Amino acid sequence: MLGYDATSIMAILPEILLLLTGVLVLVYEPLWNKETQRRNAGWLTFGGLLATIVISLLFARPGAPQEVFGGMVRFDWLGFAFKMFFIFAAAMTTLFFMDHEKLGSRGQAYLLLLAATIGMNLMASAADLVMLYLAIETTSIPLYVLAGFMKDSDESTEAGFKYLLFGAMTSAVMLYGFSLLFGFTGTTDLYALMGALTAGQLPAGTAFGLIFLVTVGLGFKVALFPFHFWAPDVYQGAPTPVAAFLSTASKAAGFAVFARLFMVAFSSMEFSAIWVNFLAILAAVTMTVGNLIALGQKDVKRLLAYSSVAHAGYAMIGLVAFSELGIQSVVFYLIAYIFTNLAAFGAVAAFERVTGTTEIAAFAGLSRRASSLALVLLAAFLSLAGMPPFGGFVAKVFVFAAAVKSGLIWLAIVGVLNSIIGVYYYLTFLKVVYLYRSEDEDKPLPVPSPYLMALVVLSIGVILLGTVFAPWFGLSGNAAIALF
Amino acid sequence: MAFPVLSAIVFLPAIAGIIILMIPEERKTEVRVTALAAATFALLLSIFVYVSYDVAAGGYQFIEEYSWLPSLGISLKLGVDGISTPLILLTGVVMFTGVLISWGIDDRPREFFAFLFILASGVFGVFASLDLFMLFFFYEIAVFPMYLLIAIWGWVKTREYAAMKLTLYLFVGSVVALVGALAMYWESGLGTFDMLALQHANFSPEFQRLWFPFVFMGFAVLGGIFPVHNWSPDGHVAAPTAVSMFHAGVLMKLGAFAALRVGIMLLPEGAKYHMKWVILLALVNVVYGAFIAMVQTDFKYVIGFSSVSHMGLVMMGFATLTEKGLIGASVQMFSHGVMTALFFAAVGMVYDRAHTREIPKLGGMAKPLPLVAFGFIVGGLVSMGMPGFSGFVAEFPIFMGVWEVKPWIAIVASISIVITASYIMLVIRRVFFGEMPAEFEGHIGPIRVLDKIAILFLVSLMMLLGLFPSVMLPMVQSGVQGVLSLLGGA
């Protein structure tokens, strides 16, 4: 099985190209002198990421699901769709990196970003527990470094260290869960696990224990209650573009693993009965806790952190619907969320570059100061709040529709009530942007061209997702079918 | 199908809004002219739809259908019947006059008109949608710009509070209705959001009785039904003039209309079962709203509460589920929309000049502002249900319908006519006649030409409908027949 035929190469073509980009950055970065280096390394990374998307879309689209490399990696639409959006998110993040004072001038930042993206790609396509664990670590370690990248900032250092401690602990717990899975079944292959766990010799308590241990690790990745405590501190302390990447791609990668692991390996009757209820309760609590704490935040990055906790809860609704439509809606939700949250964090980063603060009060008068930036924030925050014609509205409707279809009406109602809380604090922020006056109104707030480019692309994406949603929904459907 | 006139109406304002956003900020005149051009065009299109609706044929006309998400049965299906056609016209009228009145807005007019037009697109969309998903989509679009419009350009004292209150109330209502709509979608098993198909889904009576309150009340929040009405006076008062006009004139109809379309028409059994208490809630609206209006000292709050009272009549007409009641309620939606738009325009013009809305402080405004006084008096006559004006054409059938169902409710409700007359007379006498306080002497400038056009336009519409009810009644009747056939010949 360990043949290196064309399909195997196709399956990991995006990763190969990413690695190539990384090597190029590493080689060329020292040759550029200090003045011009910063943008060049960024554009090279951006170009590489873009080329990866184009080439993969043209030549490496998956056909029927297929396992390659001895069952380590599965080549299917679920993995592929997620990969494309991870790479897209990385490309947008690169644009945000370029004009960041601390990140843009260092080639290592781009390299770490690429490494994390490779890890995420493998997370989405891994079909074996060993591969999965390696992928998760490959993703996490560069992100720990990026979160603590600003060495001279105490907050950034704290963020990096906190993220590392939390991450190491939860991944150890998850690894313990993996080892038990292997111990009970004798296999690490996810699809073989499905058969082995269907036999049903495991007592319910043990099954729950296994599910719990695995959820600890993945719950940390997606910031699910009660494993969300790192998120606000890390988002606040980390450089804003890094926080953007953490809150979108990294969270989506966690969900990709959730989907594959739970919908495949844990899909037997006994198991699904346990985890559906367990995760449904976690989803309800996550939404509520995230939204309630977000209400009192004074810093927009912390606000977005708690909102991202809440969004993990909404997305989880689709997963516990335990149906094809459910997975389809999760994938759609994550796509919409990636676009929306990148736009929100990007606009915040553009603001922070000039003003040096992310306190909500500092955003007063922004609509008079930089009306285009204010409009991007308007689109992003309304999309997060679930208002049409933005992507967030359709995404929420699909997730709730999946829940109602599966009979989880109570969860849909909890979600609906939560989205009302959400509307309150998102609008409160927009009120500051649009309504309040400030003395700095006349000071210019230049937005560098890479930022402008990314924000325009993301805003258009957010609107397209909310109006012309059929193609995206079709894509999500392709991804969902791969699991059934 | 030659020209897709409904999609033109629905999307024209949004496209205009985007174009307006692209005009450089400092070119305010260009912004205004573009806005007026778009509004005029939308008005002409809506007049075209109204005039060319074939009353004899009835049913849904101008149907357009574009597949949007086939796998879930979502399509962009537009069409109008005898009930929604007048409302399309109403939206066109209010949008046009709203732009005329807002000519003087000087703080970020670009954003103001853009948000207003996006809102207008949502409103047109709800009235024209025949697809449940799209109806929600447009409904939400019609709600959120309201927040910004009130919070940014509203009355400084209460705008933040009122805007947030309004948005949260409406959002709660719409998401509650959304859960009901999703339940309908899965229960029907048809795999489509097409409302014409869902009308024949044969939901079981138990299902209908369970979900009707969610759907109906969810939308009725926007219709201002008691006890979830109290966002509305606060919202009306805090909003800038054009937004008050839109809000009371059109948005509240949106709630009532959606409650009819989705609540009564899709769940008729539920409607029959629950209407006993809905009619009582509406009665509270009618009488209580009128009483509260009477004791207000703020000119604009008077109008705000009178809207609550008049929208109660709409709900009451619906709740009768009889032909007369439904016809009256549908005409009332149009008549009240035009009337309230006129009221708020008049209030705005007085406030812009006197800088106060306290009734005891005002007086003698008829002398410097004769046309405003004239407009307000006509509006007052409509509001009292005076024969010869549109209010009579609307309210008379409602009371007849209510009498058929429960005579005592009609008797109690008729108290409101007396009270309405008393507070309208009071306002007219105090604000427009009597001594003008010395401080205003020489400070009350004339109104703009554009304002005059707006007032005369609204006044002539109400008189036209009052004197020639036949321009609207047959159309509405054909629409009501469609509702009655779903109710099983009630």
Side-chain angles (χ1 to χ4, degrees):
Chain A
M1 274 294 280
L2 271 173
Y4 290 92
D5 52 10
T7 328
S8 319
I9 302 300
M10 285 301 137
I12 56 162
L13 185 68
E15 290 83 88
I16 295 175
L17 293 171
L18 289 178
L19 196 64
L20 217 63
T21 312
V23 171
L24 282 176
V25 171
L26 211 56
V27 169
Y28 277 98
E29 196 247 353
L31 301 181
W32 286 314
N33 65 46
K34 279 283 173 200
E35 294 303 308
T36 53
Q37 159 197 53
R38 140 180 124 169
R39 288 226 169 168
N40 282 353
W43 286 119
L44 180 63
T45 314
F46 179 70
L49 287 163
L50 222 57
T52 308
I53 294 184
V54 172
I55 294 173
S56 307
L57 281 176
L58 287 178
F59 302 111
R61 282 195 309 264
Q66 209 172 358
E67 296 210 352
V68 291
F69 297 112
M72 283 290 153
V73 168
R74 195 172 167 89
F75 187 34
D76 61 8
W77 267 101
L78 181 76
F80 186 74
F82 269 109
K83 281 181 189 180
M84 290 304 111
F85 287 103
F86 296 153
I87 300 173
F88 172 77
M92 292 297 126
T93 310
T94 309
L95 292 177
F96 296 144
F97 269 19
M98 269 188 241
D99 281 273
H100 191 279
E101 203 185 341
K102 294 279 158 38
L103 296 168
S105 55
R106 311 283 289 270
Q108 299 95 308
Y110 301 107
L111 201 64
L112 288 166
L113 185 72
L114 288 168
T117 312
I118 293 176
M120 286 172 189
N121 281 356
L122 293 173
M123 273 168 84
S125 51
D128 189 287
L129 290 178
V130 176
M131 189 66 213
L132 192 57
Y133 185 74
L134 285 175
I136 292 175
E137 289 304 299
T138 312
T139 310
S140 298
I141 293 168
L143 289 178
Y144 300 150
V145 183
L146 278 175
F149 205 78
M150 301 192 289
K151 283 176 300 193
D152 45 355
S153 148
D154 287 348
E155 280 181 347
S156 176
T157 315
E158 182 197 327
F161 198 60
K162 203 169 231 171
Y163 193 37
L164 167 72
L165 286 181
F166 259 90
M169 191 185 75
T170 51
S171 90
V173 173
M174 183 176 62
L175 191 60
Y176 183 54
F178 284 177
S179 71
L180 287 180
L181 272 176
F182 176 69
F184 282 118
T185 60
T187 177
T188 56
D189 185 282
L190 296 188
Y191 288 79
L193 271 172
M194 170 166 62
L197 292 173
T198 313
Q201 336 72 334
L202 285 183
T206 316
F208 176 75
L210 285 175
I211 290 168
F212 179 79
L213 293 176
V214 172
T215 307
V216 170
L218 296 179
F220 161 78
K221 273 268 146 219
V222 303
L224 207 59
F225 176 87
F227 316 111
H228 69 282
F229 285 102
W230 60 276
D233 291 341
V234 172
Y235 286 13
Q236 190 187 15
T240 309
V242 175
F245 193 63
L246 271 180
S247 74
T248 52
S250 172
K251 190 186 286 275
F255 270 105
V257 177
F258 252 124
R260 205 185 283 277
L261 197 59
F262 283 67
M263 300 302 287
V264 173
F266 295 162
S267 61
S268 68
M269 285 292 285
E270 297 94 332
F271 264 76
S272 61
I274 298 170
W275 69 256
V276 163
N277 288 319
F278 175 55
L279 288 183
I281 293 166
L282 276 193
V285 178
T286 303
M287 285 185 275
T288 316
V289 167
N291 277 323
L292 287 180
I293 303 183
L295 284 175
Q297 297 307 315
K298 301 264 183 287
D299 185 289
V300 70
K301 278 163 86 179
R302 285 187 85 84
L303 179 107
L304 284 171
Y306 282 108
S307 113
S308 92
V309 172
H311 282 274
Y314 298 129
M316 193 51 92
I317 296 178
L319 192 70
V320 299
F322 195 49
S323 63
E324 197 180 312
L325 178 70
I327 294 300
Q328 192 173 5
S329 66
V330 176
V331 178
F332 189 92
Y333 198 98
L334 292 170
I335 298 173
Y337 179 74
I338 286 177
F339 275 85
T340 307
N341 231 31
L342 276 175
F345 268 107
V348 169
F351 178 82
E352 190 193 17
R353 274 190 71 245
V354 179
T355 62
T357 173
T358 54
E359 271 184 41
I360 291 176
F363 283 80
L366 184 65
S367 89
R368 291 166 205 273
R369 196 171 169 186
S371 60
S372 52
L373 210 54
L375 279 174
V376 173
L377 281 171
L378 178 78
F381 273 69
L382 287 177
S383 177
L384 286 174
M387 295 283 190
F390 307 108
F393 168 74
V394 189
K396 276 212 179 75
V397 173
F398 288 156
V399 170
F400 295 151
V404 173
K405 189 187 185 190
S406 302
L408 287 164
I409 293 180
W410 70 270
L411 192 57
I413 290 177
V414 171
V416 157
L417 293 177
N418 261 292
S419 61
I420 295 164
I421 308 177
V423 168
Y424 178 80
Y425 63 80
Y426 294 125
L427 285 183
T428 309
F429 175 73
L430 290 177
K431 184 171 78 180
V432 175
V433 170
Y434 271 92
L435 181 55
Y436 292 166
R437 310 292 302 245
S438 120
E439 289 162 6
D440 303 330
E441 255 166 47
D442 300 327
K443 291 185 194 158
L445 206 159
V447 180
S449 54
Y451 272 92
L452 208 60
M453 203 168 121
L455 291 177
V456 168
V457 169
L458 290 167
S459 308
I460 293 174
V462 169
I463 293 173
L464 279 183
L465 274 159
T467 47
V468 193
F469 37 80
W472 311 88
F473 199 65
L475 178 70
S476 315
N478 277 342
I481 287 169
L483 286 179
F484 287 86
Chain B
M1 185 71 232
F3 176 64
V5 59
L6 284 182
S7 35
I9 288 188
V10 170
F11 295 110
L12 173 92
I15 293 167
I18 293 167
I19 292 172
I20 288 173
L21 274 182
M22 287 174 182
I23 299 174
E25 210 163 347
E26 57 284 353
R27 315 192 73 153
K28 293 184 178 172
T29 317
E30 280 86 343
V31 165
R32 292 183 184 117
V33 171
T34 315
L36 184 60
T40 313
F41 200 50
L43 174 67
L44 292 177
L45 282 175
S46 59
I47 291 175
F48 170 76
V49 168
Y50 188 87
V51 173
S52 48
Y53 181 88
D54 185 350
V55 176
Y60 294 96
Q61 298 184 12
F62 303 103
I63 290 183
E64 295 170 36
E65 187 164 9
Y66 311 97
S67 177
W68 213 252
L69 186 54
S71 58
L72 285 185
I74 298 173
S75 56
L76 179 61
K77 187 167 182 178
L78 302 173
V80 287
D81 66 356
I83 297 179
S84 52
T85 308
L87 296 172
I88 295 272
L89 177 65
L90 171 69
T91 312
V93 168
V94 176
M95 183 176 166
F96 175 69
T97 47
V99 172
L100 288 182
I101 302 279
S102 310
W103 204 261
I105 286 192
D106 204 45
D107 176 22
R108 286 173 286 175
R110 183 177 72 147
E111 276 87 356
F112 178 82
F113 286 116
F115 293 154
L116 190 68
F117 279 19
I118 289 168
L119 176 107
S121 256
V123 173
F124 278 126
V126 173
F127 289 143
S129 283
L130 293 180
D131 183 280
L132 193 51
F133 181 89
M134 285 298 168
L135 187 135
F136 266 100
F137 184 83
F138 288 120
Y139 189 86
E140 298 279 358
I141 289 185
V143 169
F144 81 81
M146 211 53 166
Y147 176 80
L148 295 163
L149 286 167
I150 296 178
I152 302 175
W153 291 276
W155 184 40
V156 179
K157 276 190 192 153
T158 60
R159 61 187 181 187
E160 288 179 40
Y161 163 76
M164 187 60 89
K165 184 171 177 181
L166 174 145
T167 313
L168 290 182
Y169 263 86
L170 301 187
F171 198 66
V172 171
S174 73
V175 290
V176 167
L178 177 65
V179 175
L182 290 175
M184 271 191 241
Y185 173 74
W186 295 121
E187 175 78 13
S188 74
L190 298 174
T192 176
F193 280 97
D194 185 342
M195 287 199 277
L196 301 187
L198 288 172
Q199 283 173 357
H200 303 289
N202 294 319
F203 297 115
S204 70
E206 293 74 32
F207 176 83
Q208 299 199 22
R209 282 173 201 163
L210 173 65
W211 287 102
F212 179 81
F214 286 85
V215 176
F216 185 85
M217 288 306 284
F219 284 121
V221 173
L222 183 50
I225 199 164
F226 180 85
V228 282
H229 67 284
N230 71 30
W231 58 273
S232 106
D234 286 325
H236 292 327
V237 170
T241 304
V243 177
S244 302
M245 289 167 67
F246 235 94
H247 180 184
V250 183
L251 254 104
M252 292 181 84
K253 279 75 202 168
L254 211 64
F257 174 78
L260 173 73
R261 260 284 146 81
V262 185
I264 296 175
M265 290 172 80
L266 297 188
L267 301 169
E269 276 305 316
K272 286 183 200 164
Y273 182 79
H274 287 286
M275 276 312 171
K276 301 186 269 301
W277 54 266
V278 172
I279 201 166
L280 289 178
L281 291 184
L283 178 67
V284 177
N285 264 60
V286 172
V287 179
Y288 167 83
F291 270 109
I292 301 288
M294 194 169 67
V295 296
Q296 297 300 317
T297 56
D298 184 319
F299 197 11
K300 211 170 178 182
Y301 265 110
V302 175
I303 311 301
F305 277 102
S306 96
S307 283
V308 173
S309 170
H310 283 101
M311 284 310 290
L313 283 175
V314 173
M315 288 295 175
M316 194 183 263
F318 284 162
T320 62
L321 301 178
T322 61
E323 185 181 6
K324 291 196 184 68
L326 286 166
I327 290 178
S330 307
V331 179
Q332 172 78 343
M333 284 202 275
F334 182 83
S335 159
H336 175 255
V338 178
M339 171 190 99
T340 317
L342 179 57
F343 271 151
F344 279 115
V347 172
M349 289 172 201
V350 172
Y351 177 72
D352 284 344
R353 283 158 188 83
H355 303 291
T356 178
R357 292 192 307 256
E358 287 299 309
I359 296 170
K361 290 187 187 162
L362 291 163
M365 289 294 161
K367 197 170 280 173
L369 304 170
L371 198 65
V372 177
F374 168 69
F376 194 90
I377 291 169
V378 172
L381 294 173
V382 171
S383 169
M384 288 179 243
M386 192 65 74
F389 296 96
S390 59
F392 178 76
V393 181
E395 292 184 13
F396 191 65
I398 296 181
F399 281 105
M400 293 209 308
V402 177
W403 185 272
E404 279 175 17
V405 185
K406 283 203 171 70
W408 71 268
I409 289 187
I411 295 169
V412 177
S414 62
I415 298 173
S416 75
I417 299 184
V418 182
I419 301 172
T420 304
S422 76
Y423 68 73
I424 291 290
M425 297 294 197
L426 191 84
V427 169
I428 291 174
R429 182 170 61 81
R430 292 270 191 81
V431 174
F432 290 104
F433 298 102
E435 260 323 278
M436 183 190 274
E439 53 180 312
F440 296 138
E441 215 60 70
H443 292 295
I444 305 293
I447 56 174
R448 272 184 293 269
V449 180
L450 295 174
D451 294 346
K452 288 181 185 163
I453 297 175
I455 289 183
L456 290 173
F457 184 55
L458 293 171
V459 165
S460 51
L461 267 179
M462 288 187 290
M463 297 181 67
L464 182 72
L465 181 56
L467 296 172
F468 306 100
S470 60
V471 295
M472 188 169 289
L473 280 183
M475 180 187 284
V476 169
Q477 195 161 16
S478 78
V480 166
Q481 287 307 327
V483 181
L484 289 176
S485 70
L486 293 172
L487 286 165

